Amino acid sequence: MVNMNKLRSLLFNRHSIIFRVMAMLALNSVFFLVVLIVMTNSMLDKQYVALEEEKVATIMHQAKPTIAMHMMFGFFDALEEECKALYLNEGIVQVELFLGKERLDFCSQPLRNNLLDTFTRSDALVDAASGTVIGSLKLYYSKEHYEVLRGEFYEMVWLFVIFYALFIFLLFKLLSNALKPLLLLKNAMESFTPQHSHYIEHEGSSQSEVGLIAKAANSMIRSIELYSNDLMNLNKTIQERESHLQEAQRMAHVGSWEIDLDHDHFTMSSEMYRILGLKPSADFDFSHFVALVVAENRKEFENIIAYSTLHGSTFDVVHGMYKSNGETVYVHTKGKTRKKEHKGARLSAVSLDITQQTKAQEMIEHLAYYDPLTGLPNRTLLNDKLKSAIEVAMREEFMVGVLFIDLDRFKLINDTLGHEVGDALLVEVSKTILSMIAPTDTLARIGGDEYVVILSKIDNEFDAVTMARKLIEKMQHKWSIHDHELIITSSIGIALYPQHTNSTDALVKYADIAMYRAKEHGRNNWQLFEPSMSVDVQEQFALEQDLREAIKAGDQLKVYFQPKVSLFTGKIVGAEALVRWVHPQQGIVYPDQFIPLAENTGLILEIGESVLRQSMEYIRHLEEHFSDPIQIAVNLSGRQFQHQNLVSMVRDLLHEYGIKPHLLELEITETISMQDISKTLATLNELKILGVGLAIDDFGTGYSSLAYLKQFPVDTIKIDKSFVYEMIEDSEDRSIVEAIILMAKAMDLYTVAEGVETPEHVKILHYLQCDYAQGYHYSKAIPAEEFDAFLNQTNRSFT
């Protein structure tokens, strides 16, 4: 139902389109009517006057010749008759005749109307003979007929106005009816809300203007619905992302905060409150935040914020902050001040909680300079302390003593009682030494059981020797560690500044050399460094450098092969790969001269890989040229066997050289096999899976258990040459060799006797049913390039 008051207000609202259209139509109509009436009236006047003038002109044209002739001859009676004849023409109300300038009254008659309501026409009278003007004729004709005509015109105009007003009224009513659905549309649109949307119903034609508007409005409503749904979904997504952001900030320990610089308004994220151990509060402002910055960082923090605020720059600062419980947290804050025209300025920042990282870094720095077990300075800090002590001693003219302390046979304690007891002993030893030295002195732990004492201010070497004696004596007392009563000894080396050197590295090195000299003298004593002690060390150092160069060169370490002979057939069934160092100046260097050095320096790993490569390359050569290639055995050092990548390296090399795995035999000593039984067993099993042969070398020299030996997946036992060589003269050694062979037979293992030198050795071993021998006629190792010819000489066939 349409409210008529609303309809009227809509119609007569000067801002409405309908009102403006009606007003424009009315004004145009009035203007049109006024222009039409004025133009019609003007045209009517002109046309009527023109017709009347034409009529009068005709009358005057007809009358002028006669009147002019009568006037020329003075026929006044005839002139009077002519005048009366003129009055007979319709509309002529007055005739004036002039002779010269004199008016002839007999032509005039009393006026019925005012002369102002007439038209006039005056023409000159001309003598036809002479052409001279003799007078004039003036006719007055009435406007009555014109006024009647105008009255009829105005009646028609008024009739038109009445009909036009009726048309306007009808148009108004029509527009009023047309506005009703528009008003309904307006009401429907006013009641529309995105949350409770409904479509507009239109009863009229859908092609009408209102119908089209309703259709467009419904389309708009659909768009608004879609937009509203998208907006709600977007709002939901934003809320979810805010929640995820808060969760991410919580997980990442990242808080955020912002300052509205124009309104001095400070806000902080919930994670920032959590980092500071605070509850969210509307009263918490930036001054409170700054007050929580630790005192040593506060001034720098304020200066950085002030600079960023002034220049609109970024900032990056690490600082501590106090939590509500008084603890200190460390945060890494990054931010920027953004200044936008007409939008004010804001300072936004994020603060990452790096407390754990900072503490971890402090711990790392501590570990970089201190021993984690004892808390003593390590080698790095020792060098700094020694350097400082020398600088002070140089200025004040003191001596500095360096004592290198090593606990004798400490490894035995670890191996028998466990590392827990060993570590506890090291801690107690550290405490004891610290209690014996001065506060200005330094005690450092630089290795497993190795300590260094810096005596920073001594007058002579006697002070250092005295301290060494006291320490040796103190170390010998009983140590109660975890219910164990332990007695240990120590060896100490002494070096002095400036007597021996002014180099920090050299002082420690010389004290270390002196300590090894103490061990050579039976341990449990001290030795003062002497220059002669460093000669052997220098030779070892030079040999180490040459060995490194040899490994780098790649062609100085050569593999030689020592044949393994069957004691039943006398044929060569295998060979052991032995490394020789072909030194550019010294010639052949044998393993006993450089292998221990390689073990100590870790170079044995590179040497071992080189030997494996050369051996596999030769095995591939044998497979290509011999119908029945022999097996090549390669010794693994202790460090090489214990290396975590041994199995993967062997697997990769087997794949690289493409040889049959059973043609490669790997040997480990009995001592190595017993160092870590579980690890040894695991490594041997992995190697066995690869298909290579396995052997225990130097058997009889270690302390292996038959129970463990049974678990090892080995194929061969090699009897140590010390038993084989003496078994001819020593019945006990012969019994040991026999027992080993019998045990191997019982365990289905092959036996190889090392160090076979004489026919008597061969005879006894053959009797004892030993399988193979190394030595005898073939004790000398043969270079790889000569081994083919050697095999040919022993009647082995080439393919």
Side-chain angles (χ1 to χ4, degrees), residues 527-538:
Q527 291 291 323
L528 184 65
F529 174 77
E530 295 178 2
S532 59
M533 293 180 181
S534 65
V535 174
D536 293 339
V537 175
Q538 290 172 358

Side-chain angles (χ1 to χ4, degrees), residues 80-127:
E80 186 175 356
E81 289 299 325
E82 286 295 330
C83 287
K84 288 179 180 180
L86 288 172
Y87 279 112
L88 295 176
N89 291 290
E90 185 180 6
I92 301 298
V93 295
Q94 185 67 273
V95 178
E96 289 184 350
L97 188 62
F98 292 89
L99 180 60
K101 291 185 179 181
E102 183 181 356
R103 181 172 177 268
L104 302 179
D105 291 333
F106 59 81
C107 276
S108 300
Q109 65 180 15
L111 292 174
R112 293 173 295 175
N113 296 313
N114 194 333
L115 290 177
L116 295 175
D117 295 327
T118 61
F119 298 106
T120 62
R121 181 179 175 86
S122 177
D123 280 349
L125 297 174
V126 180
D127 180 8

Side-chain angles (χ1 to χ4, degrees), residues 19-307:
F19 179 84
R20 293 181 180 182
V21 170
M22 292 293 294
M24 188 177 295
L25 184 60
L27 289 173
N28 287 340
S29 299
V30 170
F31 178 77
F32 172 73
L33 285 173
V34 170
V35 172
L36 181 62
I37 292 171
V38 171
M39 291 180 65
T40 304
N41 185 55
S42 175
M43 290 175 63
L44 186 63
D45 284 351
K46 289 181 179 179
Q47 290 181 0
Y48 180 80
V49 170
L51 288 172
E52 289 297 320
E53 285 184 347
E54 184 180 356
K55 177 183 175 183
V56 173
T58 301
I59 294 172
M60 189 169 281
H61 179 70
Q62 292 174 353
K64 278 197 310 181
T66 304
I67 293 175
M69 184 183 67
H70 291 324
M71 185 175 287
M72 186 67 187
F73 293 105
F75 301 147
F76 291 104
D77 289 337
L79 286 174
E80 186 175 356
E81 289 299 325
E82 286 295 330
C83 287
K84 288 179 180 180
L86 288 172
Y87 279 112
L88 295 176
N89 291 290
E90 185 180 6
I92 301 298
V93 295
Q94 185 67 273
V95 178
E96 289 184 350
L97 188 62
F98 292 89
L99 180 60
K101 291 185 179 181
E102 183 181 356
R103 181 172 177 268
L104 302 179
D105 291 333
F106 59 81
C107 276
S108 300
Q109 65 180 15
L111 292 174
R112 293 173 295 175
N113 296 313
N114 194 333
L115 290 177
L116 295 175
D117 295 327
T118 61
F119 298 106
T120 62
R121 181 179 175 86
S122 177
D123 280 349
L125 297 174
V126 180
D127 180 8
S130 62
T132 59
V133 177
I134 59 174
S136 62
L137 175 65
K138 187 176 184 179
L139 298 179
Y140 292 83
Y141 50 98
S142 174
K143 292 182 179 181
E144 285 184 10
H145 186 66
Y146 171 70
E147 294 297 336
V148 172
L149 188 62
R150 288 186 64 182
E152 292 175 354
F153 170 74
Y154 284 122
E155 286 178 1
M156 291 179 65
V157 169
W158 279 111
L159 185 62
F160 176 79
V161 169
I162 291 170
F163 277 107
Y164 189 76
L166 182 60
F167 167 75
I168 292 296
F169 177 74
L170 293 175
L171 181 61
F172 182 79
K173 293 295 288 183
L174 183 63
L175 288 174
S176 298
N177 291 332
L179 281 177
K180 289 180 182 179
L182 191 62
L183 186 61
L184 288 172
L185 181 62
K186 168 183 172 292
N187 292 338
M189 294 185 71
E190 283 181 344
S191 63
F192 169 79
T193 59
Q195 294 79 13
H196 304 90
S197 60
H198 57 274
Y199 293 104
I200 297 170
E201 297 180 359
H202 176 61
E203 298 177 355
S205 172
S206 63
Q207 297 304 314
S208 66
E209 288 83 354
V210 177
L212 292 173
I213 292 174
K215 185 177 179 181
N218 286 332
S219 177
M220 181 186 70
I221 289 171
R222 280 192 294 273
S223 298
I224 292 174
E225 280 184 335
L226 292 174
Y227 178 75
S228 178
N229 291 335
D230 289 344
L231 198 60
M232 286 190 292
N233 291 334
L234 179 61
N235 188 44
K236 183 179 179 181
T237 302
I238 290 173
Q239 290 177 349
E240 289 176 352
R241 288 185 178 179
E242 285 181 350
S243 176
H244 292 162
L245 177 61
Q246 290 180 358
E247 180 65 16
Q249 285 187 343
R250 186 188 66 78
M251 294 175 65
H253 304 291
V254 177
S256 58
W257 48 274
E258 187 175 69
I259 311 172
D260 184 343
L261 298 172
D262 292 335
H263 303 94
D264 195 23
H265 181 62
F266 178 74
T267 55
M268 260 192 345
S269 68
S270 57
E271 180 60 18
M272 195 70 228
Y273 278 107
R274 191 202 64 77
I275 290 173
L276 298 177
L278 300 171
K279 292 182 178 180
S281 171
D283 298 328
F284 190 85
D285 59 21
F286 188 59
S287 62
H288 297 135
F289 184 83
V290 174
L292 292 178
V293 178
V294 296
E296 55 266 31
N297 299 143
R298 191 175 302 150
K299 189 64 177 178
E300 179 191 8
F301 181 80
E302 290 176 334
N303 291 339
I304 289 173
I305 296 299
Y307 184 87

